[in-house]
Amino acid sequence: MTERVHPGDSPPTSGEHSVPKPATSSPEKPAPQPGTYVIQIPKDQIYRVPPPENAHRYAHLSKRKPRRSTSRSCCCCLLTTILALLLAAAIAAAVIYFVFKPESPNYSVESVAIKGFNLTSPSPLSPEFDVTVRAHNPNDKIGIYYEKGSSVKVYYGDINLCNGALPVFFQPTNNVTLFKTALKGSEIELNNAVLRTLSDQQNKGAVPFSLKLRAPVKIKVGSIKTWKITVKVTCKITVDKLTAASKVVSNDCDYGVDLW
């Protein structure tokens, strides 16, 4: 006997006879295990996308959170590390200050011997300055290494007259060092107005110059040497005459440091 498959076909119209369809044999399904349930849901009620009336319940699942948490955490870690390093440096500086009590070295120009000035000739000058600088290190526990690469320049107004360098040496604690440096210039052209001004100032016994010193140094604290620090010294000096027997009438030096 044949079996009808649901949903059934529409009933035949009048005059037509229904033709029975052959039975379809379906394989036997295994019986479910005891204590389990099989729930059959019609296919038309399975949704891959929630229906509009329930969409608001699942809206939060479709929103992807921006991946900012990782970048923010990295920035926070970097900022924390930088702050920790700055704090450690500040603590170390404070400890060094209170333990070693550093004081700034003092600089002054002791003597200047001048050659090569002929104020009556319009020819270019080749001035020479033999300058003696006094450096005083007043610290009890700090030494100073004067490294290569220094420069010493003498100016008259904004005219660079001659150049030179400091010797390389180590200045121990509580020490006064006098170092002499020879500064030379060549082909320095001065106009008549400048020559007249120099002559008048020499007659009055007060010729002003500026000496600018730049020296890379390393500070020795105990057994530790720091990185290179640039010492900057600017001295305003006045001499009585432009000869080898000139004397320093006045000198005033300012001291500064470039840490990096």
Side-chain angles (χ1 to χ4, degrees):
M1 184 175 178
T2 60
E3 182 181 1
R4 189 179 182 120
V5 180
H6 295 277
D9 298 325
S10 57
T13 57
S14 59
E16 292 183 356
H17 299 278
S18 59
V19 179
K21 294 183 179 180
T24 57
S25 61
S26 57
E28 284 189 14
K29 295 182 180 180
Q33 297 294 329
T36 61
Y37 300 89
V38 177
I39 301 175
Q40 296 183 351
I41 302 175
K43 186 176 182 180
D44 57 353
Q45 294 184 13
I46 298 176
Y47 298 98
R48 295 184 180 273
V49 179
E53 62 271 15
N54 296 329
H56 66 280
R57 298 182 181 178
Y58 308 96
H60 66 283
L61 298 177
S62 61
K63 292 181 180 179
R64 293 184 177 180
K65 295 182 179 180
R67 298 182 179 179
R68 294 182 181 176
S69 58
T70 303
S71 60
R72 286 180 180 176
S73 61
C74 291
C75 290
C76 290
C77 291
L78 180 61
L79 184 59
T80 303
T81 303
I82 293 174
L83 291 177
L85 291 176
L86 291 176
L87 181 60
I91 294 174
V95 170
I96 290 174
Y97 180 80
F98 286 108
V99 172
F100 296 97
K101 296 180 180 179
E103 297 181 40
S104 299
N106 301 316
Y107 297 92
S108 61
V109 178
E110 292 293 297
S111 65
V112 178
I114 303 173
K115 302 175 184 177
F117 271 91
N118 186 353
L119 302 181
T120 61
S121 173
S123 301
L125 303 179
S126 296
E128 297 181 12
F129 281 63
D130 291 334
V131 180
T132 301
V133 178
R134 180 181 186 271
H136 176 212
N137 177 14
N139 295 284
D140 295 330
K141 300 178 181 179
I142 296 176
I144 303 174
Y145 287 92
Y146 287 83
E147 304 284 331
K148 293 181 179 180
S150 64
S151 67
V152 184
K153 300 180 180 181
V154 171
Y155 289 83
Y156 178 72
D158 57 353
I159 302 171
N160 182 203
L161 296 176
C162 50
N163 306 302
L166 296 180
V168 176
F169 67 98
F170 170 71
Q171 186 175 27
T173 61
N174 285 321
N175 174 263
V176 175
T177 299
L178 297 177
F179 51 85
K180 185 177 291 186
T181 178
L183 313 178
K184 295 182 179 181
S186 62
E187 300 298 321
I188 306 299
E189 295 184 358
L190 303 177
N191 58 40
N192 292 331
V194 173
L195 292 173
R196 283 195 302 269
T197 302
L198 280 171
S199 181
D200 293 340
Q201 291 172 337
Q202 182 173 223
N203 293 333
K204 295 177 182 178
V207 184
F209 293 102
S210 294
L211 182 143
K212 295 184 178 181
L213 184 153
R214 301 292 182 270
V217 302
K218 289 184 178 181
I219 306 301
K220 182 183 179 184
V221 182
S223 60
I224 300 174
K225 289 172 65 175
T226 66
W227 61 94
K228 283 186 179 182
I229 299 170
T230 302
V231 171
K232 303 185 298 181
V233 180
T234 301
C235 296
K236 295 180 179 180
I237 61 176
T238 303
V239 298
D240 60 346
K241 51 191 172 183
L242 301 174
T243 66
S246 63
K247 295 181 180 180
V248 177
V249 177
S250 66
N251 76 90
D252 182 19
C253 296
D254 291 330
Y255 167 83
V257 171
D258 282 341
L259 294 178
W260 312 107

